[in-house]
Amino acid sequence: MKEVRINRVYLKLWLTTFFWGGTFVAARFAVKEAPPFFAASSRFLIAALLLVPMAAWQARSAGTSFPLPRSLRQFLGLFSLGLTGVFLYNAVFFTGLKLTTASNGALIVAINPLLTAVLSALWLREKVRPTQAAGLLLSLVGVTLVIARGSLDVILQHSFNRGDLIMLGAPLCWALYSILGKMVLAKFTPLAATAYAAFFGAVLLVPAAFVEHATLGGPLPQFSLMGWVAILQLALLGTVVGFVWWYQGVQLIGTARAAAFVNLVPVFGTLLAALLLNERLIAAQIWGGCLVVIGVYWGSRQPRPSHEASGAGTN
């Protein structure tokens, strides 16, 4: 029975990374029909409307009341999740993808887990392992190869695609969100913390969308059927379902083993971009993407416990 549960979780993790890879394609569809903040606010209004009741149901099932912040510190911690992981991340995510390809976006954001690990170690004043540093360096070389399109002239003349440069802010925002999230999770469940992040993120995104509309002028954006499919993919599959399934995997097989699946996100992202958006992959993207994935995998590997420390051999 346990083996069946584990196999189901593995399937869910595969599908989760597939959904997350699809967010890059969905965002490209969305920003073709609406400005970045309008698209982002649409995504997280829907996500918040689902996540908050889910968190309330989880608390009720556990026989407790809905988790509320009990101090200014806790409130600011939850607000910071909405600020970094939803508002700022999606600001650069949607703006960047309006100006660059979905495949480039997926490959650039692929350094998320490793950058998070390194910044977390520095933030908490822990020693950065040599493999982490080497993996991050290798990944950054891969990202540089992707955004430079394999051309030395692009680097020397600083003629980078503006969308690629904006997308570089996404891994940094997510790293900050993840580090702050570790502190918040000491008092709140993952579902409650994510519900608060979506709620506060939506509270910040909606006014920004109105300012964006007032600045750009014109009629209020309206999504076509394909545009709504993209927004629902982002909100339901990329946010709500992806979150729930991800934490089911973490709870059953552990963070380290679940984290390995993150390496599939840029693979699915680039494949879906080629299939659905007809984006042509060039050699620099392929080689750069390989360096990113290898660097993330290498740098994210957990150190093996010694025989003496563990009392048993490694599995």
Side-chain angles (χ1 to χ4, degrees):
M1 182 62 70
K2 184 177 180 181
E3 184 177 348
V4 173
R5 286 179 61 203
I6 291 178
N7 288 337
R8 286 178 180 172
V9 161
Y10 278 135
L11 176 60
K12 287 180 177 179
L13 288 173
W14 273 86
L15 289 173
T16 295
T17 55
F18 178 76
F19 296 154
W20 286 346
T23 60
F24 295 91
V25 176
R28 280 286 290 170
F29 276 115
V31 294
K32 287 180 180 179
E33 300 187 9
F37 282 106
F38 185 88
S41 60
S42 301
R43 171 187 184 178
F44 279 95
L45 277 172
I46 296 172
L49 287 173
L50 292 172
L51 285 168
V52 172
M54 287 172 64
W57 177 83
Q58 183 189 63
R60 184 176 180 180
S61 299
T64 61
S65 59
F66 187 83
L68 296 173
R70 299 188 178 185
S71 66
L72 179 60
R73 184 183 182 89
Q74 288 185 7
F75 174 84
L76 291 176
L78 292 168
F79 182 81
S80 71
L81 297 185
L83 176 64
T84 57
V86 176
F87 178 73
L88 293 177
Y89 178 88
N90 282 272
V92 296
F93 178 77
F94 281 95
T95 303
L97 286 173
K98 195 172 183 70
L99 301 170
T100 189
T101 62
S103 51
N104 265 25
L107 294 172
I108 292 169
V109 175
I111 65 172
N112 264 344
L114 186 54
L115 182 62
T116 299
V118 172
L119 289 182
S120 180
L122 294 173
W123 188 311
L124 301 175
R125 296 183 180 179
E126 298 172 355
K127 185 177 181 181
V128 178
R129 301 196 312 273
T131 53
Q132 286 181 315
L136 181 61
L137 180 61
L138 187 62
S139 295
L140 291 176
V141 171
V143 168
T144 302
L145 189 59
V146 169
I147 65 176
R149 303 185 294 279
S151 172
L152 185 60
D153 289 337
V154 171
I155 299 175
L156 295 177
Q157 297 175 16
H158 301 92
S159 56
F160 298 103
N161 178 289
R162 194 155 56 98
D164 290 336
L165 296 180
I166 292 172
M167 284 298 295
L168 287 173
L172 179 59
C173 292
W174 193 259
L176 293 173
Y177 169 80
S178 300
I179 294 168
L180 292 166
K182 290 180 182 179
M183 304 174 187
V184 171
L185 289 176
K187 298 292 182 182
F188 295 88
T189 65
L191 182 56
T194 305
Y196 273 112
F199 172 76
F200 284 125
V203 167
L204 292 169
L205 285 168
V206 170
F210 278 108
V211 172
E212 177 184 62
H213 177 66
T215 303
L216 297 176
L220 191 68
Q222 292 186 346
F223 290 114
S224 65
L225 176 61
M226 181 56 70
W228 276 116
V229 168
I231 290 296
L232 290 175
Q233 193 281 341
L234 289 160
L236 302 182
L237 300 182
T239 305
V240 178
V241 174
F243 160 77
V244 174
W245 285 2
W246 173 257
Y247 275 104
Q248 285 180 357
V250 169
Q251 288 172 352
L252 190 62
I253 67 174
T255 304
R257 290 167 69 185
F261 283 84
V262 175
N263 297 308
L264 294 171
V265 174
V267 177
F268 285 133
T270 52
L271 290 177
L272 288 170
L275 180 65
L276 300 177
L277 298 174
N278 295 318
E279 291 184 3
R280 187 174 63 87
L281 295 177
I282 62 175
Q285 287 176 302
I286 296 172
W287 286 110
C290 288
L291 290 177
V292 169
V293 172
I294 292 171
V296 169
Y297 173 75
W298 186 19
S300 300
R301 292 178 64 187
Q302 298 295 312
R304 291 186 177 184
S306 65
H307 181 81
E308 294 77 7
S310 63
T314 55
N315 292 326

